[in-house]
Amino acid sequence: GSAALLLLLMAADGIAIKRIADSWIGAGPAEKAAAFHAGRALAEVNLAILTVWIIVFWGATIIVYGLAIVTSDVYPRWLGWAALLAGLGSAADGLALAFSGPSVLLGNILFPVFSILITVWIFVMGLLLWRKARSAA
């Protein structure tokens, strides 16, 4: 699901928007407005896909992992709580982005902060899983 959303976002943002920009550049005065509005519409679709991807991948997925860790005795509970908080923060960031639109705070500050925290969490969990697998072998 998340990978499909990301691929869709990359296709729309990386391929379709370039084609629209190229058509705007080559358009005559009468067609420039239509190409501009098509580009603006695609930008809104990109934002919608991005917010859903943030909510699903960086939010819901990490929240579920956090809940699994908090409710088990296999890994330290603080790692579960860290995942829950980072996942909730990411989901809230995605929802705020969906409802208020792009902003420096949401897209350039909060999203990188939460995604970096989650990336560090994934790295720590990977190390713990690797150690557990080595000790079991």
Side-chain angles (χ1 to χ4, degrees):
S2 293
L5 284 171
L6 182 58
L7 289 173
L8 181 62
L9 178 64
M10 291 170 73
D13 195 38
I15 298 169
I17 201 76
K18 184 193 181 309
R19 292 181 61 102
I20 291 173
D22 289 344
S23 71
W24 180 83
I25 289 170
E31 294 87 22
K32 280 209 185 272
F36 174 81
H37 289 298
R40 184 73 184 125
L42 184 56
E44 291 297 326
V45 171
N46 283 344
L47 179 64
I49 296 168
L50 175 66
T51 59
V52 171
W53 179 66
I54 291 171
I55 293 165
V56 171
F57 181 74
W58 296 99
T61 303
I62 303 304
I63 290 168
V64 170
Y65 280 121
L67 286 171
I69 293 168
V70 165
T71 58
S72 78
D73 294 328
V74 178
Y75 298 102
R77 288 190 199 277
W78 69 267
L79 280 171
W81 287 111
L84 276 170
L85 291 174
L88 287 169
S90 291
D93 182 49
L95 285 169
L97 193 59
F99 287 107
S100 67
S103 73
V104 171
L105 174 64
L106 297 174
N108 296 30
I109 297 172
L110 292 179
F111 177 71
V113 166
F114 288 122
S115 61
I116 289 168
L117 289 173
I118 291 168
T119 301
V120 169
W121 177 85
I122 290 170
F123 180 75
V124 169
M125 286 303 301
L127 286 175
L128 291 175
L129 287 165
W130 182 56
R131 284 184 181 170
K132 190 174 234 7
R134 287 187 68 196
S135 68

